[in-house]
């Protein structure tokens, strides 16, 4: 997978929130084989109080993808992104502009506006968006080179609520890196996303809240790998009727 000119071997991206301890987080990251981890500026504050957490993240050797989690306005998201670039030393930013407090659905109007501002300032934006084709087009026009449609509300673990919409996005934007972000609860959800032709999956809660985070991280990694391999193998189309795998022609006839 190539995003913003950077080649990434692992197609699983992992969040860093809600883990029982930094040690559990480090073990999960290692088990997942991920190369990219997301972190909110709220976890690594500018006053230095999050130094210990930042040091743990550096030990993983993963590339940091800061995010604007919890931002509800364009100005808040843009300001947070600017602070994250200074703190983490990267132009990458996972852009979130939340529009609904209960579902955490993106404010797509604010998202496009913020993406345009940040892209103009040299940021490489990873936008957390819905599965709407028009919004996807507007984000690309705003300068984004990757799309991150949700599978379901953040932290819900509901899996892919609208796989047909994701399939349509994949067909509509064939050359655009696409990462399913939010809603993945089980390895089967991750595999399904990859079988649809998605380039990667980003998840957090499903691993952080599992009874065995490291074990779940490994399971997710295997699911992503299997789903991608299945997509690449060009699976058969679904059929409405049964089709015998053993033909009738050539069978013995009994009088």
């Amino acid at each position: 997978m190539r995003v913003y000119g950077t080649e990434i071997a692992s197609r699983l991206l992992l969040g860093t929130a809600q883990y029982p301890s930094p040690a559990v987080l480090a073990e999960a990251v290692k088990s997942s084989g991920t190369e990219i981890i997301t972190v909110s500026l709220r976890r690594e504050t500018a006053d230095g109080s999050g130094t210990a957490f930042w040091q743990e993240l550096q030990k993983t050797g993963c590339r940091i993808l800061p995010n604007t989690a919890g931002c509800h306005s364009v100005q808040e998201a843009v300001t947070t992104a600017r602070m994250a670039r200074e703190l983490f030393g990267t132009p990458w930013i996972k852009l979130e502009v939340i529009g609904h407090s209960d579902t955490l659905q993106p404010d797509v109007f604010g998202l496009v506006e913020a993406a345009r501002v940040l892209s103009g300032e040299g940021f490489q934006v990873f936008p957390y968006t819905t599965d709407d084709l028009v919004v996807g087009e507007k984000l690309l026009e705003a300068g984004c080179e990757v799309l991150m449609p949700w599978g379901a509300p953040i932290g819900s673990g509901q899996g892919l609520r609208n796989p047909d919409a994701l399939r349509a996005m994949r067909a509509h934007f064939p050359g655009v890196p696409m990462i399913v972000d939010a809603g993945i609860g089980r390895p089967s959800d991750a595999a399904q996303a990859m079988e649809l032709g998605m380039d990667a999956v980003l998840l957090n809660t499903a691993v952080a809240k599992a009874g065995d985070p490291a074990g779940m991280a490994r399971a997710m990694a295997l699911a992503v790998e299997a789903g991608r391999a299945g997509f690449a193998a060009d699976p058969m189309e679904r059929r409405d009727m049964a089709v015998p795998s053993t033909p009738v022609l050539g069978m013995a006839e009994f009088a």
Side-chain angles (χ1 to χ4, degrees):
M1 180 176 66
R2 178 180 289 272
V3 289
Y4 289 109
T6 300
E7 289 189 359
I8 306 297
S10 174
R11 295 178 182 271
L12 174 62
L13 288 67
L14 203 62
T16 57
Q18 306 184 66
Y19 288 84
S21 69
V24 173
L25 167 61
E27 186 178 2
V29 169
K30 181 178 180 181
S31 296
S32 72
T34 186
E35 296 176 48
I36 301 174
I37 54 178
T38 65
V39 58
S40 170
L41 189 63
R42 286 160 178 75
R43 291 295 304 274
E44 176 56 43
T45 54
D47 62 8
S49 60
T51 300
F53 180 67
W54 174 226
Q55 290 175 343
E56 288 298 324
L57 295 181
Q58 289 179 307
K59 291 178 183 178
T60 66
C62 294
R63 180 156 187 161
I64 303 295
L65 174 60
N67 67 46
T68 63
C71 292
H72 291 258
S73 70
V74 173
Q75 183 175 357
E76 186 181 9
V78 169
T79 299
T80 301
R82 290 167 178 165
M83 294 173 64
R85 179 164 61 179
E86 292 298 319
L87 184 62
F88 297 109
T90 176
W92 281 17
I93 190 72
K94 179 192 170 189
L95 181 61
E96 296 183 23
V97 182
I98 301 301
H100 193 275
S101 298
D102 292 334
T103 64
L104 301 181
Q105 178 171 328
D107 171 1
V108 294
F109 305 101
L111 180 67
V112 172
E113 183 179 349
R116 183 174 292 110
V117 171
L118 293 174
S119 295
E121 295 183 4
F123 281 89
Q124 296 173 337
V125 181
F126 293 68
Y128 165 62
T129 184
T130 61
D131 49 25
D132 187 281
L133 297 181
V134 176
V135 176
E137 290 178 344
K138 296 299 183 182
L139 287 168
L140 296 178
E141 291 173 4
C144 299
E145 296 182 12
V146 59
L147 296 174
M148 301 182 72
W150 67 346
I154 294 172
S156 68
Q158 295 178 8
L160 307 186
R161 294 207 304 185
N162 196 345
D164 288 337
L166 291 174
R167 186 180 292 107
M169 284 195 78
R170 179 69 288 170
H172 193 70
F173 304 109
V176 177
M178 200 167 296
I179 304 170
V180 169
D181 177 18
I184 300 297
R186 290 172 170 76
S188 56
D189 301 331
Q192 182 185 17
M194 299 305 294
E195 287 175 355
L196 292 175
M198 299 297 110
D199 293 282
V201 166
L202 193 162
L203 53 89
N204 186 168
T205 309
V207 170
K209 292 300 184 181
D212 177 6
M216 182 58 74
R218 177 59 176 158
M220 289 292 187
L222 292 172
V224 167
E225 183 179 348
R228 181 64 185 183
F231 171 75
D234 191 16
M236 63 174 285
E237 296 294 330
R238 291 175 181 262
R239 297 166 173 169
D240 293 330
M241 300 292 292
V243 177
S245 56
T246 302
V248 176
L249 294 177
M251 293 183 63
E253 295 184 7
F254 298 93

